Amino acid sequence: MSESTRLKTFILNTTEEVDDEDILPDLSHISPDVLSKALTKLEIAQISEAFLTGEQLEALIKYMNLEGSRIRQLGIANNNVSEIDPAEFAEALNKLEKLDLSGTNFGYSELPNAFFKQMVASTNLKVLDL
């Protein structure tokens, strides 16, 4: 995506039941940096059940915390976020206005605790789907 892209929304959502013949979107082969740079230029990114890797999710959170990230709504439902740094996770996601984490695997990490502590201190969230 170029610096001057007019694309504002990317929706790749398969949170509904699928049949065997349906093809599920798989973004796991895309470079973490390329995917993250592209997504943070958007305002809305819905990438639930897209087989995101831990490295892709870590990079996305890192780029969301950088100056210039435009993303305001994010859907990463049904992904595994258990290996993301809790402080970076909390900071990035509380900058959003709308967040979908439904079905997301937090593992036994400190992510939920850090996320809600940050939410108490400061958040832009208006909609949170767990």
Side-chain angles (χ1 to χ4, degrees):
M1 252 183 252
S2 73
E3 289 293 323
S4 62
T5 184
R6 294 187 332 194
L7 183 67
K8 295 182 189 295
T9 302
F10 179 69
I11 298 173
L12 182 67
N13 191 351
T14 60
T15 56
E16 300 168 6
E17 288 292 317
V18 293
D19 296 328
D20 289 337
E21 62 269 2
D22 287 333
I23 297 174
L24 294 173
D26 183 354
L27 301 181
S28 65
H29 64 282
I30 300 174
S31 157
D33 284 335
V34 169
L35 180 66
S36 299
K37 286 177 184 177
L39 292 176
T40 55
K41 293 190 182 315
L42 303 171
E43 293 177 11
I44 300 169
Q46 178 58 262
I47 49 175
S48 299
E49 290 188 29
F51 298 98
L52 299 175
T53 67
E55 293 83 15
Q56 287 173 317
L57 289 164
E58 282 183 73
L60 177 59
I61 296 300
K62 178 181 89 174
Y63 281 99
M64 287 174 63
N65 281 327
L66 295 176
E67 193 74 30
S69 174
R70 296 181 185 139
I71 197 161
R72 297 293 160 244
Q73 297 182 24
L74 178 65
I76 54 172
N78 299 305
N79 281 289
N80 183 347
V81 297
S82 63
E83 296 181 22
I84 298 174
D85 177 84
E88 288 186 17
F89 178 84
E91 179 184 351
L93 298 185
N94 276 289
K95 291 178 180 179
L96 299 169
E97 294 173 3
K98 183 177 180 181
L99 175 61
D100 181 2
L101 292 173
S102 58
T104 299
N105 179 8
F106 292 101
Y108 295 103
S109 69
E110 287 295 312
L111 287 173
N113 190 37
F115 176 73
F116 286 108
K117 275 185 171 178
Q118 177 64 39
M119 187 183 286
V120 168
S122 173
T123 190
N124 290 326
L125 281 171
K126 295 179 172 110
V127 177
L128 174 60
D129 185 355
L130 295 175

